[in-house]
Amino acid sequence: MELNPNRFNQQAIIALEDIQLKTALDRGTGNADGRRRQAFAELDDAYALRMQARGAKLRALADLPELLEKMEQQVTANGGHVLWASDGEEAKQHIVDICRKHGLTRGVKSKSMATEEIGLLPTLEAAGISMVETDLGEYIVQVNDSHPSHIVMPVMHMTKEQVRDLFMEKLGMEHTNEASDMTAFARKILREEFLSADFGMSGGNFMIAETGTVVIVTNEGNGRLSTGMPPVHIAVVGIEKIVPTWEDFATLVQLLPRSGTGQRMTVYVNMFNGPARTDEPDGPQEFYLILLDNGRSSIYATEYAEALACIRCGACLNACPVYQNVGGHSYGSVYSGPIGAIVTPLLKGIENAVPLPFASSLCGACKAACPVEINIPDMLLKLRRDLEDEQEPLWQVGMKAWRFGNAHPLLYELGGKAASLGTRALTQLTGQDKLDNLPYPLSGWTDYRDFPSFAEKSFHDWWRQNRGAES
Ligand code: SF4
């Protein structure tokens, strides 16, 4: 499945026709958004907590270089190894090199958007190294040879029946309609993988600089098995995931599960400081932390730096009317929804994701849902501004004329009258009761929208006739 953000419009049109997808998205986003609202409603002062979390992330970003150095020192002091990766290729090379060094050929991985972002699996496969996803959603995606459609719930786009059919076709599962049977079936396969793996991989939801700790929050226990059982653990973490202290982590970890899944806390919160100490019976003998940049430091230096405060909770996706209708795959990127519409152009280059900043009604539901109050609509508008030069000349001329007309009241009124007369004439000419389809070059606008008829009398005229004397 090819990922191409520039095909958003075409993918969205296909998605809108897909009834099964609509069913899955309605259920998935509706449940997640409803649970999030409930989880926040029980807080005494949710706004204060969100502001505290925002402050923690923005402070961490302000001190990012120093915190990353501190993290490296602490992990090294704990007996781990830290590797820096300026891009995805370097990160993948580090992983292959580690595998070669220790003779590793069989891996298990807990959910990680960073490894999705760099496209790790095909590289490992080409190097003769097998890797099995162990998060149930990610495992389904892997069996389906697809991509996650949501940053927290990778198979939000699938119904239970589709998962059943996939398992029956690809893995030989017997027919069942029970989700618990499907889970038990996958668990049995994955248990064998955990037992035979010689290395485990994870991402990281947070890094705590003061002690060199990587934290992952999960619900399935696969994170603990992937990172604790095999002799080598490799964590790939985006550099923006760092916070300075446990206090800041304590603030943020109250919000991530609430925002992502509507839980007060996830079932597991796993923390790694390095390899197992000599007095510890469990845990890996080797621990590698790969600090992934991959375009983040270029975002850091721009007016979009706030996007790096994202804790990848997925709440903005669930709240977004565009995502709710077209799903994650339409975005052609591992990062979908409102935050994906910002991060994807910034990471991949704006020319490679031209439609995404426009994939929003700017209703503000994303900002209202965001636990760290990222001003997503504002950044989408700024990206649209940046894209102005990329737009078609006709669009640019139209927007300039619109801006000019709106800035001059007389022109605005005359324009309104001309448009009203013009559309009435067109309606008569085409013999329609109502002008449903505008002619080219305006036809694109009415392909997906109703064209409201102009009122018989403009508001200006009405005001002059009825209230003019009062003013
Ligand atoms: S932008 Fe905010 S709501 Fe969206 S994923 Fe990031 S933290 Fe969550």
Side-chain angles (χ1 to χ4, degrees), residues 261-332:
T261 51
Q263 293 168 285
R264 289 179 189 151
M265 191 56 64
T266 45
V267 180
Y268 299 91
V269 179
N270 299 324
M271 299 152 190
F272 325 107
N273 292 311
R277 291 191 303 258
T278 43
D279 58 341
E280 288 176 332
D282 299 318
Q285 283 110 53
E286 298 285 351
F287 174 72
Y288 290 88
L289 170 62
I290 298 175
L291 293 169
L292 179 71
D293 184 328
N294 206 28
R296 287 159 173 80
S297 43
S298 1
I299 300 177
Y300 187 64
T302 68
E303 59 186 323
Y304 300 105
E306 191 185 332
L308 296 172
C310 173
I311 57 171
R312 303 275 189 268
C313 69
C316 58
L317 281 67
N318 304 329
C320 173
V322 176
Y323 182 92
Q324 286 166 3
N325 280 285
V326 303
H329 287 157
S330 299
Y331 292 77

Side-chain angles (χ1 to χ4, degrees), residues 13-83:
I13 289 168
I14 296 168
L16 288 169
E17 301 287 328
D18 187 334
I19 304 295
Q20 270 188 322
L21 177 65
K22 183 75 183 121
T23 307
L25 289 172
D26 279 352
R27 194 178 301 151
T29 56
N31 286 345
D33 198 47
R35 286 197 303 262
R36 175 185 65 81
R37 286 167 193 273
Q38 269 176 9
F40 274 85
E42 66 179 31
L43 288 170
D44 286 341
D45 192 343
Y47 183 69
L49 188 59
R50 288 167 72 174
M51 285 297 108
Q52 199 175 323
R54 178 177 169 79
K57 282 299 289 185
L58 294 184
R59 271 198 320 277
L61 287 175
D63 296 332
L64 190 60
E66 296 79 17
L67 291 177
L68 291 169
E69 278 175 23
K70 175 94 180 157
M71 184 77 192
E72 181 180 27
Q73 284 164 12
Q74 290 299 110
V75 171
T76 309
N78 296 338
H81 311 276
V82 176
L83 300 163

Side-chain angles (χ1 to χ4, degrees), residues 36 50 150-152 255-256 259-260 306-307 309-319 336-340 342-343 365-376 379:
R36 175 185 65 81
R50 288 167 72 174
H150 190 285
I151 54 183
V152 173
L255 289 175
L256 178 56
S259 305
E306 191 185 332
C310 173
I311 57 171
R312 303 275 189 268
C313 69
C316 58
L317 281 67
N318 304 329
S336 57
I339 190 64
I342 294 169
V343 167
C366 47
K367 182 172 181 244
C370 179
V372 283
E373 293 269 335
I374 295 176
N375 197 340
I376 297 171
M379 276 192 273

